[in-house]
């Protein structure tokens, strides 16, 4: 079966964001590649971009959260876009609270975590890096 893994673009703070995500979810980075590692005669890297993240992965359960910094020559990422959310399904209310409270620290809560009208324990927020998340615990339909 196919697997879907979220991939997030950042404006130069991917490493900071992923260290934050790692502090909440735990685990170890599977891969960290910096732009300077990709430099060649055909692909010169400006010094200002050399230590930025070209690709980073953090396994979370059966999935992998991936990301990178967008090089300045490609323009800025709109960090306030509202096209998608990363949905986290948990195995308990306690885990939902831990993840919600950890990731929303310094961010903006859009829907406080609580018992929802549709029967699950649910909350939504935008983290301090502008990424939108939802956290859900549903004993009947946990994915």
């Amino acid at each position: 079966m196919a697997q879907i893994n979220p991939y997030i673009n950042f404006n130069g703070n991917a490493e900071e964001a992923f260290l934050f995500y790692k502090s909440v979810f735990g685990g170890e980075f599977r891969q960290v590649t910096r732009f300077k590692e990709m430099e060649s005669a055909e692909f010169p890297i400006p010094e200002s971009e050399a230590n930025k993240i070209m690709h980073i992965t953090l396994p979370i359960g059966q999935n992998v959260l991936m990301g990178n910094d967008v090089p300045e020559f490609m323009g800025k990422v709109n960090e306030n876009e509202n096209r998608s959310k990363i949905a986290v399904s948990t195995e308990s209310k306690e885990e939902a609270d831990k993840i919600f409270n950890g990731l929303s620290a310094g961010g903006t809560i859009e829907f406080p975590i609580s018992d929802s009208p549709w029967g699950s324990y649910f909350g939504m927020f935008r983290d301090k890096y502008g990424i939108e998340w939802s956290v859900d615990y549903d004993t009947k339909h946990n994915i």
Side-chain angles (χ1 to χ4, degrees), residues 11 35 41 46 68 76 82 100-101 123 127 129-130 139-140:
N11 288 318
F35 279 101
N68 70 288
K76 290 280 187 192
N82 191 19
F100 184 92
N101 293 330
D127 72 21
Y129 301 101
T139 58
K140 297 177 291 238

Side-chain angles (χ1 to χ4, degrees), residues 86-107:
I86 298 175
V88 179
S89 297
T90 65
E91 295 181 356
S92 69
K93 273 189 169 182
E94 294 77 22
E95 183 182 30
D97 284 334
K98 177 183 179 276
I99 291 170
F100 184 92
N101 293 330
L103 290 177
S104 66

Side-chain angles (χ1 to χ4, degrees), residues 114-141:
S114 60
D115 292 326
S116 70
W118 54 89
S120 70
Y121 189 64
F122 177 84
M124 288 189 320
F125 58 92
R126 183 182 296 269
D127 72 21
K128 63 185 175 183
Y129 301 101
I131 305 303
E132 294 188 63
W133 297 80
S134 68
V135 177
D136 182 71
Y137 170 64
D138 185 349
T139 58
K140 297 177 291 238
H141 302 100

Side-chain angles (χ1 to χ4, degrees), residues 23 30 33-34 37 52 57 61 70 76 103-104 110 113 119:
S23 76
R30 183 180 294 161
T33 305
R34 298 184 185 281
E37 297 169 42
K52 291 183 181 176
T57 62
V70 174
K76 290 280 187 192
L103 290 177
S104 66
E110 299 169 345
I113 194 156

